[in-house]
Amino acid sequence: MDPQQLRTFVAVVDHSSFSAAARALGFTQSAVSQHIAALEADVEAPLVTRRPVAPTEAGARLLEHARPLLLRLDAARADLGRLRRARPGRLAVACTPGALTPAVAAAVARVRTASPRLAVSVRACGRDEAVEAALTGAADLALADGAVAPSDPLPLPEAAPLTAFGIAQEPLAVLLPAGHPLAGRPGLRLADLAAARWIDAPDAAVPLEELRAAARTDGFGPQLAYAGADFRGLCALVAAGGGLAAAAREAARGVPGVVAVPLSAPRLVHRVEVLHPRTPTAPAAGLAEALRPVAAVG
């Protein structure tokens, strides 16, 4: 399969439009149509319906392969690029909101102070975006967080070799408004909350699909969706009664109107990991070493 045709196919599906995909890719609409037609001829199956524009059954199946394939290609290009060019004057960090702890912020500040001419940037984003940034070279180092069983690593895409190690692990908690009937409990069972009102905030808290899988039950239907990486904004919605969320217990400490009650079952922790290419830039390697002593995590 031609990689450019795959990229065009993904863009058409993402934009639900041939013309919008053409604008995003910088192609003419006819070129996009030709790419899709050629790809459909290659796989001998229709991939998208035209009105409305949506993936067919075969298109949905191909999409499952296309995204990781394209990410792997971008990661390979970035990995080879690091061998021939270095960026000693840049340190770009992609970080999920829950991973930007005070200890991490202090380590970034120390690296910046030690190298005044170093151009340091920190971008808050979702976990998939942070990992993708580290793979493709958009970031020199990524920090990601998530809910896992104690000592388990975060589930990451196998798009390319990445060095990953944990730097923090703490109890996972349910965030409730201060006046909630369960706010005074010493602990909560996740399965008992399946029918509660939840906020789906995949970039700022534990995604509901992960809670659903951990509780091994249906439910956790979102009454409110929050698209953004601003944890304080999410807490404001929780405090106002918009719904519950799951995050690190310490992250909500001192937030007005929000109470964090630990999960008693299943046994889950909030884990933070550092991710960088196996051949990191010198600044990225320096920050990684600065973060290693933050906590002893398996």
Side-chain angles (χ1 to χ4, degrees):
M1 297 181 190
D2 182 273
Q4 187 55 65
Q5 292 174 1
L6 279 179
R7 290 189 193 280
T8 301
F9 165 66
V10 171
V12 167
V13 173
D14 285 347
H15 290 85
S16 300
S17 165
F18 279 65
S19 58
R23 289 193 295 272
L25 295 170
F27 295 158
T28 62
Q29 186 169 336
S30 62
V32 168
S33 297
Q34 290 170 13
H35 284 185
I36 298 300
L39 187 58
E40 289 178 326
D42 186 11
V43 300
E44 299 181 346
L47 297 174
V48 292
T49 58
R50 268 49 176 185
R51 291 186 181 182
V53 176
T56 62
E57 182 180 3
R61 188 68 61 87
L62 178 59
L63 198 63
E64 296 177 5
H65 296 281
R67 294 190 194 279
L69 282 171
L70 293 173
L71 179 57
R72 182 88 198 202
L73 286 172
D74 291 340
R77 185 182 299 277
D79 202 27
L80 293 175
R82 292 185 194 98
L83 296 178
R84 66 176 185 272
R85 64 177 184 275
R87 291 175 171 172
R90 184 194 91 160
L91 175 59
V93 178
C95 185
T96 57
L100 190 54
T101 63
V104 168
V108 172
R110 286 197 300 271
V111 170
R112 178 67 182 88
T113 301
S115 304
R117 296 188 177 182
L118 188 65
V120 180
S121 64
V122 178
R123 177 165 58 94
C125 55
R127 186 167 73 193
D128 289 347
E129 188 178 348
V131 174
E132 184 173 334
L135 286 169
T136 60
D140 303 304
L141 179 144
L143 289 131
D145 72 312
V148 294
S151 299
D152 277 4
L154 294 178
L156 300 173
E158 298 180 2
L162 276 177
T163 298
F165 59 90
I167 61 170
Q169 191 166 282
E170 60 179 301
L172 187 70
V174 178
L175 308 185
L176 310 101
H180 195 280
L182 301 177
R185 295 281 186 90
L188 294 170
R189 291 169 47 86
L190 188 58
D192 294 340
L193 301 171
R197 293 184 301 168
W198 286 85
I199 299 174
D200 192 17
D203 291 341
V206 179
L208 294 191
E209 62 182 21
E210 294 184 14
L211 296 182
R212 196 175 295 115
R216 297 181 180 180
T217 182
D218 293 331
F220 299 96
Q223 278 76 29
L224 193 158
Y226 178 70
D230 181 2
F231 183 72
R232 290 280 173 170
L234 171 62
C235 287
L237 291 172
V238 171
L244 311 184
R249 187 179 184 183
E250 283 298 311
R253 186 181 293 276
V255 177
V258 174
V259 174
V261 180
L263 277 179
S264 58
R267 195 174 170 216
L268 295 174
V269 295
H270 175 263
R271 181 178 173 89
V272 177
E273 290 188 4
V274 170
L275 316 166
H276 63 71
R278 58 184 174 182
T279 310
T281 64
L287 178 58
E289 285 306 307
L291 288 167
R292 279 189 184 273
V294 169
V297 178

